[in-house]
Amino acid sequence: MDISYILNHLGEERDEYYGSVAPPIFQTTNFCFKTVAEMRQKLTRELERPFYTRGYNPTVATLRKKLAALEKAEDAIVFSSGSAAVAAAVMSVVKGGDHVICVQKPYSWTGNLLTKYLIKYGISTTFVDGSNPVNFDKAIKENTKLIYLESPNSLTFEMQDIAEITKIAKAKNITTIVDNSYNSPLNQNPIEMGADLVLHSGSKYINGHSDVVCGVVCGSRERIMKMLAEEYMTIGSCISPQDAGLILRGLRTIELRVNQSAASTKKVADFLEKHPKIKQLNYPFSSKNPQLELAKKQMKQGGGLLSIVIKAENEAGVERFCDNLKRFLMATSWGGYESLIFPLCALAASKSFENPLPWNTVRLYIGLEDADLLIEDLKQALDKV
Ligand SMILES: *Cc1c(COP(=O)(O)O)cnc(C)c1O
C-alpha cells in the first residue's frame, strides 16, 4: 500500500459520513440501540464496533487503520501517551517471575517502568549493551520472555541490529518489542525485520504539531486484539476522539514533515561536525559514527534529533550558548514543527532522572524552519560559549 493512499484514503468510510472529506469527530462516550436484540448482538463485538468509546470509536478506528498500515502491521492501538503504549506493550508480554532483556539507556520512563515498577510484581530486567547482538543471546535466561529495543535511542542514538536480534529471540520463543519513535513509521519498519510489537510516542512525529500527547502500539491482529481486551480496556489509557481527530490531521503531512526535518538535520549535522567548539556529534548518519553501516542497513534516513558535546570550560559556557539561541525553543520533547534545544545540564534539578551524559551535552531537534537560518543562529550562539 503506498503512503499517499494510506494517508488520504485508507479507513476513511466517507460513504457513511455524507461524503465528508475530513472525517467527523465522534465526540461521544456511548452508542445507542433500538432493540435488546441489537444491543445484545453489538455487545458480542464491543472492541470491533461502536458500543462504548473506550473500546471502539469510529474516529479512533480510522486512525488505527492508517497507523497499522504505515508500520506494515495488521493492527494498531492508540493510547493517551507513548508511556502508556510502552507499559501496555510490555505488560502484555510478561507476568510475575518473568525476565526481560532491555537495551541499555532506554527512554527514561521505560527504564522506570522496568526498574521501579514491574520489579514490584517480580519481573526482573537485565540491561545490555545493544551494539552487539551476541550480548542479548548471552543474557537470555530460562525465564526470559521479552527483549526490548529502542533503535536508535533519543539522546545518543545507539542502534541495535533488529534483524539479528529478532532471529535470536525467535529461536527461543522470546517476544521482541521495538520503540521506533525516533524513526517515525516512514524511516524504519521493525516488523519487516522480525519484531513482534512496534511502538511510538505519537506525541513526536506522528501528531507532529506539539499539541497532543499520544502513543501507538502496532502488531499482529492476534496480539493487538489480546492487548485491547486485557491491558487497554483494563488500564483504560484510551485516546479521546478529539485528540484522534487532531492526530489524523497531523498525520496527513507526516511525509513532508519527516523528510524536511531529516534533510535540514543532515545540513545542521554537517555544520556542527566541522565547528571548532564541538567536541563530539551524536547523529546516526554522521560519517564518523561507528554504527553508520547499521544505520544504512535498517533506516531510510536519519531523524530530526542530534546531540552535541560542547567544548566549554564550565556550565556557564553551555548556558550562554543555549540562552543566546533565537530560533530554537528551549523545551523537552521533539517531532513538531519547531526546532528545540535541550541542555542535559538542566537535568541536575530533576527528581525523576539522573543525567547519564556529560554535563556539556546538548540535544537539538531540527524542525521545519529554513536550515540556513538555524545554522546562522547556531553559529552566533557558539561564538558566545
Ligand atoms: C517521548 C518518548 C516516549 C514517551 O512518549 P510520551 O508520549 O511522552 O508518553 C517513549 N519513547 C521515546 C523514544 C520517546 O521519545
Side-chain angles (χ1 to χ4, degrees):
M1 229 182 294
D2 62 272
I3 291 174
S4 301
Y5 178 79
I6 296 169
L7 296 178
N8 295 343
H9 301 287
L10 182 70
E12 298 283 347
E13 315 288 353
R14 290 190 175 104
D15 291 348
E16 290 189 37
Y17 311 143
Y18 300 98
S20 158
V21 169
I25 293 169
F26 284 86
Q27 190 69 27
T28 182
T29 51
N30 43 2
F31 299 84
C32 60
F33 310 101
K34 291 224 167 60
T35 63
V36 175
E38 188 190 357
M39 189 176 197
R40 185 184 294 127
Q41 195 265 330
K42 289 286 159 60
L43 198 44
T44 62
R45 291 172 67 205
E46 66 170 322
L47 301 180
E48 292 160 84
R49 298 290 310 152
F51 190 84
Y52 185 59
T53 276
R54 172 153 46 82
Y56 185 97
N57 176 282
T59 312
V60 177
T62 301
L63 179 59
R64 284 176 53 193
K65 282 188 191 137
K66 289 184 193 293
L67 291 170
L70 287 173
E71 242 338 330
K72 304 184 167 57
E74 287 172 9
D75 205 347
I77 310 182
V78 187
F79 291 85
S80 54
S81 75
S83 292
V86 173
V90 170
M91 285 154 83
S92 75
V93 178
V94 293
K95 60 177 189 328
D98 286 346
H99 174 246
V100 178
I101 304 171
C102 182
V103 63
Q104 67 188 9
K105 293 194 277 168
Y107 178 70
S108 52
W109 291 103
T110 303
N112 275 16
L113 172 78
L114 296 166
T115 57
K116 302 208 173 117
Y117 199 84
L118 292 181
I119 196 90
K120 293 195 291 189
Y121 302 94
I123 296 157
S124 59
T125 302
T126 305
F127 292 89
V128 301
D129 171 357
S131 61
N132 188 346
V134 168
N135 295 342
F136 291 88
D137 206 8
K138 280 191 197 145
I140 293 173
K141 301 184 191 179
E142 199 105 304
N143 57 341
T144 303
K145 292 283 151 57
L146 171 64
I147 292 180
Y148 188 98
L149 307 178
E150 195 179 302
S151 183
N153 72 38
S154 57
L155 266 184
T156 43
F157 319 109
E158 286 92 357
M159 285 159 266
Q160 303 100 58
D161 189 323
I162 298 171
E164 284 303 313
I165 295 164
T166 57
K167 222 180 279 166
I168 293 166
K170 274 191 181 14
K172 304 231 161 112
N173 223 359
I174 296 167
T175 299
T176 312
I177 298 178
V178 181
D179 182 335
N180 200 31
S181 302
Y182 171 93
N183 297 292
S184 92
L186 300 190
N187 288 338
Q188 175 174 281
N189 295 120
I191 285 179
E192 288 187 327
M193 304 172 206
D196 298 295
L197 292 168
V198 174
L199 59 88
H200 289 270
S201 166
S203 322
K204 314 293 166 46
Y205 275 133
I206 285 172
N207 178 61
H209 290 71
S210 305
D211 52 9
V212 178
V213 174
C214 63
V216 186
V217 180
C218 304
S220 68
R221 177 100 182 132
E222 192 188 344
R223 281 183 187 272
I224 292 294
M225 287 313 287
K226 186 171 170 289
M227 201 186 305
L228 262 181
E230 295 175 12
E231 289 74 27
Y232 184 82
M233 286 304 277
T234 310
I235 298 170
S237 42
C238 64
I239 194 81
S240 76
Q242 277 288 344
D243 281 349
L246 284 169
I247 302 162
L248 274 169
R249 183 158 82 163
L251 201 60
R252 306 283 185 201
T253 54
I254 189 169
E255 200 176 13
L256 293 171
R257 290 186 286 102
V258 164
N259 288 340
Q260 165 85 14
S261 167
S264 296
T265 307
K266 181 112 201 15
K267 265 189 164 179
V268 171
D270 287 345
F271 161 76
L272 289 170
E273 193 148 48
K274 291 188 205 105
H275 198 284
K277 295 257 173 79
I278 304 299
K279 196 167 152 196
Q280 191 186 323
L281 167 78
N282 302 314
Y283 173 64
F285 282 79
S286 154
S287 58
K288 295 188 187 130
N289 183 2
Q291 290 191 302
L292 178 63
E293 284 314 308
L294 179 57
K296 286 184 187 161
K297 177 180 143 190
Q298 60 188 20
M299 294 153 66
K300 287 203 190 89
Q301 59 184 344
L305 286 171
L306 55 85
S307 56
I308 48 178
V309 182
I310 298 176
K311 277 186 202 155
E313 275 166 29
N314 48 36
E315 226 161 89
V318 177
E319 287 184 29
R320 277 195 302 278
F321 165 69
C322 297
D323 294 353
N324 278 291
L325 286 166
K326 308 270 186 309
R327 301 268 181 177
F328 290 76
L329 301 175
M330 202 182 298
T332 190
S333 197
W334 52 274
Y337 49 86
E338 77 288 11
S339 288
L340 300 169
I341 180 119
F342 188 99
L344 273 292
C345 58
L347 283 178
S350 165
K351 291 191 182 68
S352 312
F353 312 111
E354 284 165 49
N355 180 8
L357 298 171
W359 56 272
N360 44 347
T361 309
V362 173
R363 185 179 77 177
L364 303 175
Y365 168 70
I366 307 303
L368 306 182
E369 304 91 337
D370 183 306
D372 292 331
L373 294 173
L374 295 175
I375 289 169
E376 212 171 282
D377 193 30
L378 288 164
K379 207 182 281 174
Q380 65 80 23
L382 281 167
D383 286 342
K384 305 208 166 66
V385 172

